[in-house]
Amino acid sequence: MATSQTLMSSSSSSPQQSPPLQILVREPEGFSIWRGPPFANGEPRPELDRVPAAAARFSDDGARLLVTRSASAVSVYSCGGGGGGGFSEIRAFEIPSLLAAALSPRGAFLQTFQKSTSPQDKNVVIWSVESGSPVYQQFQKNMSKTTWPSVQFSSDESVACRMATNEIQFFDPKDFAKGIINRLKIPGVTAIELSKSPGSHVVAYIAEAKGVPASVQIFSCGKDLQSQPVARRSFFRCSSVQFHWNNGTTGLLAVAQSDVDKSNQSYYGETKLNYLTTDGSHEGLVPLKKEGPVHDVQWSLSGLEFAVVYGFMPARATVYDRKCNPLFELGQGPYNTIRWNPKGRFICLAGFGNLPGDMAFWDYSGKKLLGTTKAECSVTSEWSPDGRYFMTATTAPRLQVDNGIKIFHHDGSLYFKKMFAKLYQADWKPEAPERFGDIAELTKSVNAIKIDERKKQAQDSKSSQTSRQAAASTVAKPSAYRPPHAKNSASVQEELFGGLAPSEEMSKNALRNKKRREKQKEKKAAEAGS
């Protein structure tokens, strides 16, 4: 075991305290870890000094960090258990011809993919991070986004499976030496997605073939419950599918993508949003209220509702419940991205990529818009684990100029901005949202401060206004200009009309109209008498 640099935090976090927020920032020279926000004196403090690396990625729970140093060397760091206890290298691996590497959700296993020359080379290897030894090896001809990582784990690492030809193979993560403990036969399967929390179900996509429509099928991971799918949805004109499991594994959103739009309304093809439940109560399309592509979809933390951005520009955004009933409309605009904060209270609606970067921040609990702003040329975007900050980053190689990081408050106001000559990556260190306090407490305190400031400003402005009025009252107000010939007539009018001249009481037009009405009344009275 090789041990590298270790940087201990200046303060530890007790179980009652929230862990500090941390950001991984990777530049050409390597990556570093920032502590915060909030930042002392407005500048981030390095939690871990710069480490040379070609890539870096946290495990899903943030307990460990995978660092790819070169095409033949990777290291795994301990992140101090999320309590600010410092970063230290706990294991280094020398793996020739390395093409890809990934950590399991809790960081117990490292999965690597190597370049192979023959099927006899078992180029997919699962390593135990604790022992540094391989626990499973398998040959895989090639790698793509749909097939990597080859072995998928549930969030608690209690279930593991991989897609093979016409089947899904299951393993026991506690003992990979058992080999394949179960095989689920699914002819024509081309993509799978294991549910994460809990890992009780797996969804399979079977492509269209020989006139048979494509289908999405959900199976139980229990060996005795796999005779039939618990839910199924079939459709034609589908070339690929994106899966989105909810927290709790009760519902699945499947975005079916077709390369060709038969209506010729979109150059990018056609998309349909399908919704299936693991209890079989719902299998069908989500009733979207506008024609056009599905740009983005995300579940809330509770798994009880999901938000969708869809339709031709200006796109529309809607929040639905688990029965596909619309709950709340987020309006329309140049949007293609939606981010639900980990606490489930705030939503950021944004337009990135080829859109100008408009962002709208919503309080979903209060059903109100908090603020709008812009983050042009953003490549990545995500809420902080505590749900209080929203970070956007402009990174290379997607964009070679104007690289930088912006951090916004939950209401859209800019908190921090830093530019880089070249920036490759900016990621929050994952933490469990329940480890942080309720955002409502922060909102109340912030609002109280703002209200006090407004009151003080109002009092200051009121007092200054009163003083100005008092000063103005000491100066005699100039009287209205009156021509010389009217000065004497004013005294006569005062005697006749008690100080109020008819011309001041009514305008000439009003007097003329009054006389006309009186004449009409007299005329009507005379006609009635005759």
Side-chain angles (χ1 to χ4, degrees):
M1 181 176 70
T3 304
S4 181
Q5 57 181 311
T6 303
L7 182 71
M8 301 303 292
S9 299
S10 59
S11 62
S12 61
S13 177
S14 64
Q16 288 77 22
Q17 292 178 328
S18 298
L21 295 176
Q22 294 170 328
I23 302 174
L24 184 151
V25 178
R26 185 166 62 90
E27 302 173 72
E29 299 80 12
F31 77 93
S32 57
I33 305 291
W34 291 354
R35 184 185 179 93
F39 300 132
N41 302 321
E43 286 296 325
R45 179 171 69 85
E47 184 85 0
L48 177 65
D49 291 330
R50 186 171 292 166
V51 177
R57 189 71 60 190
F58 286 106
S59 60
D60 290 351
D61 65 351
R64 289 181 174 174
L65 173 66
L66 173 64
V67 178
T68 304
R69 297 183 179 275
S70 67
S72 61
V74 295
S75 298
V76 179
Y77 279 68
S78 171
C79 302
F87 289 77
S88 60
E89 186 182 53
I90 59 175
R91 185 68 62 186
F93 297 85
E94 291 293 332
I95 305 171
S97 305
L98 181 67
L99 296 178
L103 278 178
S104 59
R106 289 188 173 182
F109 301 100
L110 169 66
Q111 189 172 173
T112 60
F113 180 84
Q114 298 166 264
K115 184 178 180 181
S116 66
T117 56
S118 68
Q120 285 71 35
D121 296 334
K122 295 184 177 181
N123 59 337
V124 173
V125 183
I126 296 180
W127 308 79
S128 169
V129 174
E130 268 327 298
S131 65
S133 303
V135 295
Y136 176 77
Q137 299 179 62
Q138 178 71 41
F139 171 75
Q140 184 171 315
K141 187 175 181 180
N142 48 38
M143 178 191 66
S144 66
K145 285 186 177 181
T146 59
T147 59
W148 181 256
S150 178
V151 177
Q152 300 182 19
F153 291 85
S154 60
S155 294
D156 60 1
E157 298 184 356
S158 63
V159 181
C161 67
R162 70 178 289 265
M163 182 185 69
T165 305
N166 297 327
E167 67 179 21
I168 300 176
Q169 301 171 351
F170 290 86
F171 304 88
D172 182 4
K174 296 178 182 178
D175 188 4
F176 273 98
K178 294 179 182 178
I180 301 170
I181 61 173
N182 183 30
R183 298 174 188 265
L184 176 59
K185 298 291 184 180
I186 307 176
V189 59
T190 56
I192 67 169
E193 184 76 29
L194 177 66
S195 62
K196 301 301 182 186
S197 180
S200 57
H201 292 78
V202 62
V203 59
Y205 167 64
I206 298 92
E208 182 178 349
K210 298 179 180 179
V212 179
S215 66
V216 169
Q217 302 179 28
I218 298 177
F219 293 88
S220 171
C221 289
K223 183 177 181 180
D224 300 330
L225 303 174
Q226 294 179 345
S227 58
Q228 294 292 331
V230 298
R232 177 186 179 123
R233 174 74 177 163
S234 299
F235 33 74
F236 285 100
R237 300 200 316 273
C238 178
S239 54
S240 63
V241 174
Q242 297 176 11
F243 296 122
H244 302 269
W245 281 106
N246 72 337
N247 193 19
T249 314
T250 58
L252 171 78
L253 292 168
V255 183
Q257 173 76 41
S258 173
D259 293 335
V260 178
D261 182 7
K262 286 199 170 183
S263 64
N264 292 325
Q265 291 182 295
S266 174
Y267 173 79
Y268 300 99
E270 182 182 15
T271 55
K272 298 291 183 182
L273 182 59
N274 300 268
Y275 177 56
L276 300 89
T277 57
T278 52
D279 62 2
S281 61
H282 196 287
E283 301 171 0
L285 290 171
V286 177
L288 303 179
K289 300 181 178 180
K290 187 174 185 179
E291 289 187 357
V294 176
H295 303 288
D296 198 11
V297 58
Q298 190 177 30
W299 286 96
S300 68
L301 177 69
S302 65
L304 300 178
E305 57 267 308
F306 60 91
V308 191
V309 185
Y310 59 96
F312 297 112
M313 293 296 163
R316 188 168 183 169
T318 308
V319 178
Y320 294 86
D321 64 12
R322 287 187 299 177
K323 295 182 179 180
C324 289
N325 298 317
L327 295 176
F328 185 59
E329 293 289 342
L330 298 171
Q332 298 188 107
Y335 304 125
N336 61 4
T337 304
I338 194 157
R339 295 286 184 268
W340 210 314
N341 90 326
K343 290 292 184 179
R345 176 168 180 180
F346 300 116
I347 295 175
C348 177
L349 196 58
F352 298 139
N354 59 350
L355 295 178
D358 293 87
M359 296 195 298
F361 290 83
W362 286 85
D363 180 353
Y364 176 65
S365 300
K367 303 294 189 293
K368 60 182 178 181
L369 180 66
L370 297 176
T372 58
T373 185
K374 269 194 174 185
E376 297 89 347
C377 303
S378 297
V379 176
T380 62
S381 60
E382 194 53 75
W383 285 96
S384 61
D386 66 351
R388 299 178 180 182
Y389 301 96
F390 189 79
M391 179 172 66
T392 63
T394 302
T395 58
R398 175 74 177 271
L399 291 172
Q400 299 290 345
V401 296
D402 297 330
N403 285 189
I405 293 172
K406 291 182 181 178
I407 300 178
F408 300 86
H409 288 288
H410 67 278
D411 60 358
S413 58
L414 183 64
Y415 170 73
F416 174 80
K417 178 180 178 180
K418 184 177 179 64
M419 304 303 291
F420 295 81
K422 184 161 288 188
L423 176 68
Y424 287 131
Q425 182 181 356
D427 290 334
W428 296 103
K429 177 180 176 290
E431 294 284 358
E434 55 269 17
R435 299 191 65 189
F436 298 93
D438 188 1
I439 191 70
E441 299 173 4
L442 170 79
T443 307
K444 288 179 181 178
S445 61
V446 171
N447 288 342
I449 294 172
K450 289 182 178 179
I451 291 171
D452 290 341
E453 289 178 352
R454 289 196 204 102
K455 285 183 178 179
K456 186 176 180 181
Q457 292 174 357
Q459 289 174 355
D460 293 343
S461 62
K462 190 174 181 180
S463 59
S464 61
Q465 186 178 359
T466 305
S467 61
R468 285 196 300 268
Q469 288 177 350
S473 63
T474 58
V475 181
K477 184 178 180 180
S479 57
Y481 172 76
R482 191 179 300 277
H485 69 272
K487 289 181 179 179
N488 295 331
S489 63
S491 58
V492 177
Q493 289 175 351
E494 185 175 358
E495 291 180 4
L496 294 175
F497 305 106
L500 182 63
S503 59
E504 293 177 356
E505 185 180 19
M506 287 188 180
S507 65
K508 291 182 179 179
N509 289 333
L511 285 172
R512 192 179 301 113
N513 292 335
K514 183 179 179 182
K515 290 178 181 179
R516 187 180 297 113
R517 287 194 298 271
E518 289 176 352
K519 288 181 179 179
Q520 288 176 351
K521 287 181 180 179
E522 291 175 359
K523 186 176 180 181
K524 288 181 180 179
E527 290 176 353
S530 61

